[in-house]
Amino acid sequence: MLHIKCPYCGMRSQNEFSYGGDASVKRPELNKEISDEEWDNFVYNRKSLRGKHLELWQHLSGCRQWIKVERDTATHEIFNTYKADEEIS
Amino acid sequence: MQKYSIFNLVKNAFSNHENWDLAWKDPTPKEEYDVVIIGGGGHGLATAYYLAKEHNITKVAIIEKGWIGGGNVGRNTTIIRSNYMHDENALFSEFGMDLWRKMSQDLNYNVMFSPRGIINLAHSDAQMNAYARRGNSMRLNGIDAVLLNREQVKEIIPMADFSENVRFPIFGGLMQPSAGTARHDAVAWGYARQADSMGVDIIQNCEVTGFDVTAGKINGIRTSRGNIKTKKVGLCVAGSTNILAEKLNMTLPIETHLLQACVSEPVKPILDRVVTFGAGHFYISQSDKGEMVMGGDLDGYNSYAQRGNLPTLQHVLTEGIAMMPFLSKLKMLRTWGGIMDMSMDGSPIIDKTHIDGLYLNCGWCYGGFKATPASGWTFAHTIAQDRVHELNAGFSLNRFSTGHLIDEKGLGTKTWIS
């Protein structure tokens, strides 16, 4: 079982969280000409990396906050967790 | 090639079965091939077989990182069906059903195809209506479908929970009588043996490390066992699709997720159908050895681990026990996981790509095993003729841009939601 450190609540079991997918995907900016390709990349296309993967989770059965988790998709090691609006260097 | 028959079985008995031919060779890679198939799973092996058989292309190599049949073709729950509503999936799968029926004869290898029927249980009036609609769509496409009421289901699977006060009472179900199971390893080995006998090189323990692409054309691949020249490459690598796509600078509408399955200890025959729970995601059948073969949801987050996590297994088996309470008395014998190439609309991709000579076969989600023959057949056609067959025309890569999605389950792009 994964143990995810919620930045608001601390270390909790995976059972309290729900998954939100790749966190590196950015919605195309508003008020700007957007190509079909940009929309495709936002809606459908995913890198689905093997190894370090930055992803969204929601602490659904806890504080209900969305967070970012940096996790290895092959070993499931969790390197770091961030608040959703936190800048990641 | 030595034919497998009762006479050869008896003949070889006299020499203690020590003189059987090897089922396939272990060749060293040649310098050049007409077609290279990457991935020695069910789909890759079937593709090579149909390239040789239907299109007379035998200078073919299958490049496999591990050993053939060690991936999803050996990790699935062996279910074969064509109970789809949308035309693309229905016609493609039904074409495959015909290949399944003939497979043991065709391959001279007993794949133990057992058309025992599949029942999808319904747990509400609304679900009965939805199944009636799906059943009608299937019948319009020439696929057998029978809508069963509660009493009829009870007659077939009396061990399911038909008590009055359960959370998800059984209202009825949709049955496809011609669906069934087959022995998955035999499918891989049968295709491998025949492909090998027609001249296909099956190269195991050979990892693809890169591609030679010049001016939008494929010229060869780089592997851990040297470079191989070829004008045509077919990608059949399921959960590893994104890893190879990255080497080609392609980003695909695919995510890799982990799906678990498990078997119980073997018990006497009790269940002679495939049954799925309609209020969640759980499916069950009984193997010839007596094990209850079960599976259900994805683990729910991107994973390449080929090994599952217990919360999902617990969730899936809770559904199983809700459906068939006797399961709670059984001990678990084995659990395992495989990595799925989950596409963004739940349907596969068999298509050409923007790179000349590179062909793509991926996006099989939960249903890769049953598609093995049809996938191999259509992919071989696509590679040999350099154009898609009408059976896989809908499984195009650009349908995501054009909006022609085949969203069988209506789930949208959150592939981990079931």
Side-chain angles (χ1 to χ4, degrees):
Chain A
M1 182 184 295
L2 302 181
H3 288 97
I4 301 171
K5 190 179 166 195
C6 171
Y8 302 94
C9 313
M11 197 65 90
R12 296 299 174 96
S13 133
Q14 161 198 344
N15 289 339
E16 295 184 13
F17 294 84
S18 74
Y19 187 61
D22 190 339
S24 68
V25 177
K26 288 240 170 9
R27 189 186 167 91
E29 275 175 46
L30 290 174
N31 305 322
K32 156 183 169 268
E33 195 65 32
I34 299 160
S35 69
D36 287 354
E37 203 184 331
E38 283 174 287
W39 272 119
D40 286 350
N41 285 336
F42 167 61
V43 181
Y44 298 117
N45 294 334
R46 297 289 177 268
K47 289 208 168 73
S48 192
L49 303 171
R50 187 181 200 275
K52 246 181 206 182
H53 188 242
L54 190 67
E55 54 203 21
L56 291 167
W57 288 76
Q58 190 189 9
H59 194 185
L60 193 68
S61 309
C63 63
R64 302 187 66 81
Q65 292 286 343
W66 281 93
I67 62 169
K68 285 182 198 165
V69 176
E70 194 178 38
R71 183 180 62 90
D72 191 306
T73 55
T75 64
H76 296 331
E77 182 182 353
I78 292 174
F79 305 102
N80 226 327
T81 56
Y82 309 89
K83 294 175 180 175
D85 58 355
E86 208 169 318
E87 282 301 319
I88 300 164
S89 51
Chain B
M1 185 183 59
Q2 218 169 5
K3 196 172 175 341
Y4 289 164
S5 67
I6 185 74
F7 302 108
N8 270 330
L9 191 66
V10 171
K11 198 177 103 192
N12 278 279
F14 290 109
S15 52
N16 291 322
H17 297 290
E18 283 170 358
N19 296 324
W20 285 101
D21 289 348
L22 283 179
W24 53 85
K25 297 176 281 292
D26 184 21
T28 38
K30 295 192 189 88
E31 218 167 85
E32 188 171 358
Y33 289 96
D34 291 342
V35 179
V36 170
I37 304 293
I38 303 175
H43 292 219
L45 293 161
T47 304
Y49 169 70
Y50 290 114
L51 274 173
K53 187 184 171 225
E54 304 286 338
H55 305 278
N56 224 0
I57 301 175
T58 55
K59 214 177 154 194
V60 176
I62 295 170
I63 308 292
E64 165 58 45
K65 184 172 70 172
W67 63 95
I68 58 164
N72 294 343
V73 72
R75 293 165 187 263
N76 56 74
T77 45
T78 78
I79 299 167
I80 293 161
R81 58 189 176 83
S82 59
N83 53 357
Y84 285 101
M85 192 167 84
H86 289 294
D87 289 351
E88 294 89 346
N89 285 325
L91 296 172
F92 176 86
S93 305
E94 186 58 14
F95 176 77
M97 291 303 294
D98 206 39
L99 294 175
W100 278 112
R101 286 180 206 113
K102 299 175 192 154
M103 191 180 288
S104 290
Q105 305 302 324
D106 190 27
L107 298 180
N108 178 227
Y109 205 107
N110 185 4
V111 299
M112 296 163 75
F113 176 54
S114 160
R116 60 184 67 184
I118 186 169
I119 301 171
N120 303 127
L121 294 180
H123 306 273
S124 67
D125 279 330
Q127 205 167 12
M128 282 300 281
N129 289 341
Y131 280 171
R133 180 175 175 234
R134 173 141 68 105
N136 286 336
S137 301
M138 287 165 62
R139 292 170 75 136
L140 284 171
N141 277 324
I143 301 165
D144 54 331
V146 185
L147 195 66
L148 306 171
N149 62 29
R150 181 180 162 93
E151 290 312 310
Q152 288 166 311
V153 174
K154 194 173 181 178
E155 222 161 88
I156 300 171
I157 47 165
M159 77 297 283
D161 195 345
F162 286 93
S163 51
E164 294 300 324
N165 54 354
V166 292
R167 175 69 183 81
F168 299 108
I170 295 168
F171 276 57
L174 182 66
M175 178 155 87
Q176 184 192 2
S178 67
T181 59
R183 185 179 176 214
H184 51 196
D185 299 316
V187 175
W189 298 335
Y191 274 123
R193 178 167 161 271
Q194 285 295 341
D196 175 271
S197 81
M198 288 189 283
V200 172
D201 279 359
I202 299 171
I203 299 159
Q204 305 182 70
N205 298 308
C206 179
E207 186 173 356
V208 172
T209 53
F211 297 85
D212 289 329
V213 181
T214 35
K217 268 188 176 169
I218 201 117
N219 286 311
I221 59 166
R222 294 191 286 275
T223 79
S224 57
R225 292 173 68 180
N227 295 348
I228 297 171
K229 277 189 240 163
T230 181
K231 298 276 180 232
K232 290 185 174 187
V233 173
L235 230 57
C236 268
V237 294
S240 300
T241 301
N242 285 298
I243 297 174
L244 289 182
E246 199 190 353
K247 296 183 199 295
L248 290 156
N249 293 319
M250 287 169 75
T251 317
L252 297 172
I254 302 278
E255 273 188 20
T256 296
H257 284 261
L258 189 120
L259 183 61
Q260 295 191 69
C262 60
V263 293
S264 74
E265 60 186 322
V267 289
K268 293 254 167 125
I270 178 167
L271 181 64
D272 59 356
R273 312 279 167 156
V274 181
V275 183
T276 74
F277 184 54
H281 201 177
F282 173 81
Y283 36 87
I284 185 167
S285 64
Q286 188 171 21
S287 75
D288 291 337
K289 284 186 280 185
E291 302 156 336
M292 307 307 291
V293 186
M294 299 169 280
D297 280 321
L298 295 174
D299 267 28
Y301 40 86
N302 293 47
S303 174
Y304 283 90
Q306 281 194 320
R307 204 174 65 172
N309 212 333
L310 280 177
T312 304
L313 207 55
Q314 187 177 28
H315 169 75
V316 167
L317 292 172
T318 306
E319 295 174 31
I321 290 164
M323 184 173 96
M324 293 184 177
F326 80 94
L327 292 174
S328 69
K329 306 288 181 200
L330 298 183
K331 291 186 182 72
M332 183 86 78
L333 192 64
R334 289 193 307 280
T335 80
W336 65 92
I339 52 172
M340 305 294 119
D341 36 341
M342 301 299 295
S343 71
M344 291 291 163
D345 62 355
S347 296
I349 297 162
I350 308 178
D351 203 359
K352 299 164 66 171
T353 64
H354 72 281
I355 299 170
D356 217 13
L358 182 81
Y359 304 87
L360 190 61
N361 178 330
C362 62
W364 292 100
C365 302
Y366 301 93
F369 176 67
K370 61 126 209 296
T372 305
S375 162
W377 196 94
T378 53
F379 198 41
H381 181 279
T382 305
I383 294 171
Q385 311 277 335
D386 195 37
R387 62 186 163 86
V388 295
H389 189 270
E390 61 179 21
L391 283 169
N392 64 315
F395 299 152
S396 64
L397 179 56
N398 75 357
R399 69 175 184 266
F400 298 93
S401 326
T402 61
H404 294 88
L405 302 187
I406 314 168
D407 199 352
E408 191 77 32
K409 287 187 183 163
L411 290 178
T413 60
K414 302 287 182 279
T415 59
W416 57 87
I417 296 173
S418 50

